[in-house]
Amino acid sequence: MAVSREYPPTAAEREDGGHSRVHLDSRVIVARSPRTGDVLGQVPVATPLHIQTAFAEARLGQIAWERIGVRRRLIFIRALRDALYRQRERIISILMAEQGKVLAEAQFEHLAVMEMVDHYLRIGERVLAPVPVTVRLQPHRRFVIERRAYGVVLVISPWNYPLFLSVGPIVGALLAGNSVVYKPSEYATQVGEVIAAAIAEAGIPPEVFHILHGDGAVGKALIEAHPDKIAFTGSVPTGKKIARAAAERLIPVTLELGGKDAALVLEDADIPHAARGIIWAGMFNAGQTCASVERVIVVRQVADRLLEEMKRAIQEHLLDPAGRPVLSTLAAVTTPFQIEIVEAQVNEAVTGGARVIIGGRRLRELGGQFYAPTILADVTPEMRICREETFGPVVAVLQAEDEQDAIRLNNDSAFGLTASVWTQDRERGLRVARQLRVGHVSVNSHLVISGISEVPWGGVKESGYGRMHGEEGLLQMTCSQTVDVERVRLPVEPFWYPYHPAKLGLARRLVDALYGPTLRDRLRAFWR
Ligand code: NAD
């Protein structure tokens, strides 16, 4: 394979410092399993010509795609749902092979995708329907808010939930009448290909959907091609780069970025239940979830009991009786650079005084990329493990004096994706939830929300802006266009020229009649 000199950059030149198992120095990306290192396949890296052609076709195709209307587009999306159903086994096996997922978690991702597509099928026609509005200053005209497509939507997605985080925005964008240029993560090319195959199987016109492969350099080039909207899911540093590049071109962006989610365990929590929920939400997909529990903020008086129960939950579900990891429950760490970050953060925390309750090391003896399910106690807020994202099966436990202290510790974070409150008093849970600066709070649950379709999804602060899922996720793939048409032609237009004396009092009369604080003020409009 010929080696490119200018484009794309070599692995060593890449922004991840070359921590890569993909080979971008040639014109292909080779996908390897993080469990075994086996080669799974390869895809071509997009060239500038591919990018130019994809955008040109997408622009042209979009016009007819929008024009056919939502009802006909729904037929295609229904066919896509059916194709994703038929491809279930293939999709699940690719998620396991390429991302290192365990069977149950690959199945959950497929389920979440089916539900997402079905959700859009259920709400599409209603949410995208024109909305008539009565405008009281213009009663002689009919106003309708219509939802128009942006044009070409660029979808850039990460590797941790490559199916769910790609299909959601792709389907939302297509249903709203946009065409899509899609760049999967360079660590999820095989998943990207299976999505593209399902879209082709559904008969969606090829000009309205284009898949292009590559790393950050290709992502950058795609933004330079000037899409009309960008739907990005990924890390904070990349999100900031994308926001800057988009700002230069005034392209609207949705940014779904990282998290440092906390579970707040109050003194009245059901401790065994909280421990099981926290361990599941911290270890699911080996902790490689934007909304996984990374910090546990526990009120001091129940801290020891919680640690004990959390350790028990790991021993029960993730380890066998001999203490070896159960590989049908513990996923692999998908990328080599993430496992290095996890190792560095844990080691630094331990050097700084954190106590390893269980785990705390890389499982080199298993081959592949595995990290032991880990609980760290005596963690302090300034440690890197409390401030930066940890994409591994690690939960860091901080102690709080009381409820208010727990709220303060939660909000003392650059991130604001989700959080959970664990208490047996549901009213108290709601009261605490409202004081947390995050996009979503669960009481006595965590993480499940990230796969739910009916409610909006997204964070605050450095966790990003814009929303996916719910109705907002679909609406954000559109811009409103208001059209107003005359119902009747007035003999005299009240606001147009000429400003003859009868019109001069009009604005005053209207202000009196509509906004006068008292009845007397309002009646003044008619005395004039
Ligand atoms: P990443 O930011 O490294 O990459 C994400 C995507 O951006 C990839 O496709 C990558 O090729 C592309 N990219 C990289 N540099 C680019 C550039 N300069 N211009 C355009 N595109 C570029 O993230 P990742 O490691 O793939 O994914 C993990 C991150 O995603 C974590 O931070 C996680 O929290 C976050 N995430 C967020 C959500 C959410 O909904 N908030 C969901 C899942 C993952």
Side-chain angles (χ1 to χ4, degrees):
M1 189 61 61
V3 174
S4 134
R5 293 288 161 230
E6 297 286 346
Y7 180 88
T10 64
E13 288 163 348
R14 290 176 52 227
E15 291 172 3
D16 69 6
H19 296 301
S20 179
R21 68 185 156 79
V22 298
H23 300 281
L24 287 168
D25 45 348
S26 61
R27 286 199 175 274
V28 293
I29 298 175
V30 177
R32 284 179 192 278
S33 162
R35 285 184 177 272
T36 59
D38 290 347
V39 171
L40 303 170
Q42 66 177 45
V43 292
V45 173
T47 64
L49 183 61
H50 289 140
I51 294 174
Q52 202 187 341
T53 312
F55 270 88
E57 286 183 8
R59 282 207 186 289
L60 219 58
Q62 187 271 329
I63 298 166
W65 179 248
E66 183 171 15
R67 204 173 287 149
I68 63 170
V70 65
R71 280 207 186 147
R72 286 181 64 195
R73 290 196 297 274
L74 279 166
I75 297 170
F76 287 100
I77 302 300
R78 201 163 289 119
L80 174 59
R81 183 194 58 190
D82 297 348
L84 291 166
Y85 177 84
R86 283 192 297 273
Q87 294 289 337
R88 171 173 39 185
E89 298 313 324
R90 192 166 132 68
I91 290 172
I92 289 170
S93 71
I94 291 176
L95 284 171
M96 291 175 73
E98 192 179 32
Q99 271 65 54
K101 293 187 187 244
V102 298
L103 175 63
E105 295 172 3
Q107 284 176 343
F108 291 158
E109 187 169 350
H110 180 261
L111 165 66
V113 160
M114 295 304 296
E115 180 61 10
M116 177 65 68
V117 179
D118 204 66
H119 162 69
Y120 282 142
L121 288 172
R122 294 192 303 268
I123 68 165
E125 208 171 335
R126 176 175 56 77
V127 170
L128 297 175
V131 179
V133 176
T134 304
V135 175
R136 64 182 186 174
L137 289 184
Q138 295 271 280
H140 62 297
R141 300 187 70 81
R142 192 162 54 87
F143 286 73
V144 181
I145 303 169
E146 300 195 357
R147 306 307 315 189
R148 295 295 314 274
Y150 275 106
V152 182
V153 174
L154 172 61
V155 174
I156 301 182
S157 58
W159 47 263
N160 59 338
Y161 292 93
L163 182 74
F164 185 59
L165 299 172
S166 302
V167 174
I170 288 171
V171 169
L174 288 173
L175 181 55
N178 302 282
S179 55
V180 169
V181 174
Y182 162 51
K183 194 198 82 59
S185 164
E186 57 274 41
Y187 296 98
T189 56
Q190 304 304 298
V191 176
E193 285 299 303
V194 81
I195 293 171
I199 287 174
E201 193 179 317
I204 291 172
E207 54 284 9
V208 302
F209 175 80
H210 299 263
I211 181 170
L212 293 172
H213 290 287
D215 67 347
V218 171
K220 191 162 169 271
L222 289 169
I223 296 171
E224 283 159 9
H226 211 305
D228 302 298
K229 156 105 196 184
I230 302 169
F232 173 75
T233 308
S235 64
V236 173
T238 309
K240 287 181 179 174
K241 283 183 205 161
I242 288 178
R244 273 194 291 270
E248 277 297 313
R249 298 162 178 84
L250 289 177
I251 303 171
V253 203
T254 302
L255 296 175
E256 296 295 341
L257 309 179
K260 191 75 207 172
D261 287 13
L264 279 65
V265 184
L266 306 182
E267 70 287 350
D268 64 348
D270 173 343
I271 298 293
H273 182 255
R276 282 195 301 276
I278 288 168
I279 289 303
W280 174 76
M283 306 293 150
F284 190 94
N285 196 25
Q288 302 167 107
T289 311
C290 49
S292 64
V293 173
E294 296 194 12
R295 296 180 295 158
V296 177
I297 301 172
V298 55
V299 172
R300 195 176 301 284
Q301 71 196 79
V302 290
D304 287 344
R305 265 190 69 214
L306 181 74
L307 283 171
E308 207 174 290
E309 291 290 345
M310 281 167 49
K311 183 176 174 184
R312 197 193 317 277
I314 287 185
Q315 287 167 331
E316 207 171 301
H317 301 293
L318 290 143
L319 304 178
D320 68 13
R324 288 182 302 248
V326 176
L327 294 187
S328 55
T329 315
L330 179 68
V333 175
T334 308
T335 61
F337 59 90
Q338 281 294 352
I339 205 163
E340 284 165 21
I341 295 172
V342 173
E343 273 187 300
Q345 286 184 359
V346 170
N347 294 344
E348 238 177 83
V350 171
T351 310
R355 195 159 41 101
V356 177
I357 301 295
I358 192 165
R361 69 183 186 89
R362 186 174 179 164
L363 299 167
R364 289 187 190 276
E365 65 276 20
L366 298 181
Q369 291 152 201
F370 289 93
Y371 198 87
T374 298
I375 301 172
L376 292 181
D378 303 339
V379 165
T380 51
E382 71 288 349
M383 288 179 179
R384 198 148 74 97
I385 199 121
C386 272
R387 310 211 75 83
E388 294 176 16
E389 205 172 26
T390 312
F391 250 39
V394 178
V395 289
V397 183
L398 291 142
Q399 296 196 11
E401 294 308 324
D402 52 23
E403 177 188 300
Q404 276 311 311
D405 196 30
I407 294 168
R408 181 189 62 78
L409 283 167
N410 176 81
N411 292 343
D412 175 24
S413 172
F415 297 99
L417 193 51
T418 84
S420 56
V421 184
W422 299 81
T423 166
Q424 297 199 58
D425 178 344
R426 291 178 189 140
E427 283 309 310
R428 184 185 186 192
L430 289 173
R431 187 166 45 74
V432 172
R434 293 190 188 106
Q435 298 173 69
L436 304 180
R437 288 272 298 133
V438 294
H440 184 95
V441 189
S442 301
V443 178
N444 296 334
S445 179
H446 201 118
L447 183 65
V448 178
I449 178 64
S450 61
I452 300 292
S453 306
E454 287 91 338
V455 292
W457 170 258
V460 297
K461 300 198 270 183
E462 292 212 347
S463 292
Y465 46 76
R467 293 291 180 261
M468 303 238 189
H469 311 183
E471 295 186 1
E472 276 178 70
L474 184 54
L475 285 174
Q476 290 197 1
M477 292 298 180
T478 68
C479 46
S480 63
Q481 182 185 49
T482 306
V483 181
D484 68 295
V485 188
E486 62 187 4
R487 283 186 221 271
V488 288
R489 173 84 43 97
L490 296 181
V492 178
E493 281 290 342
F495 301 116
W496 296 10
Y497 299 136
Y499 297 148
H500 54 64
K503 280 190 184 173
L504 285 178
L506 178 68
R508 289 180 157 278
R509 279 172 196 275
L510 279 172
V511 168
D512 284 334
L514 295 174
Y515 322 114
T518 65
L519 182 63
R520 205 183 142 83
D521 294 325
R522 289 193 194 162
L523 290 175
R524 187 174 297 144
F526 304 99
W527 297 337
R528 276 181 208 251

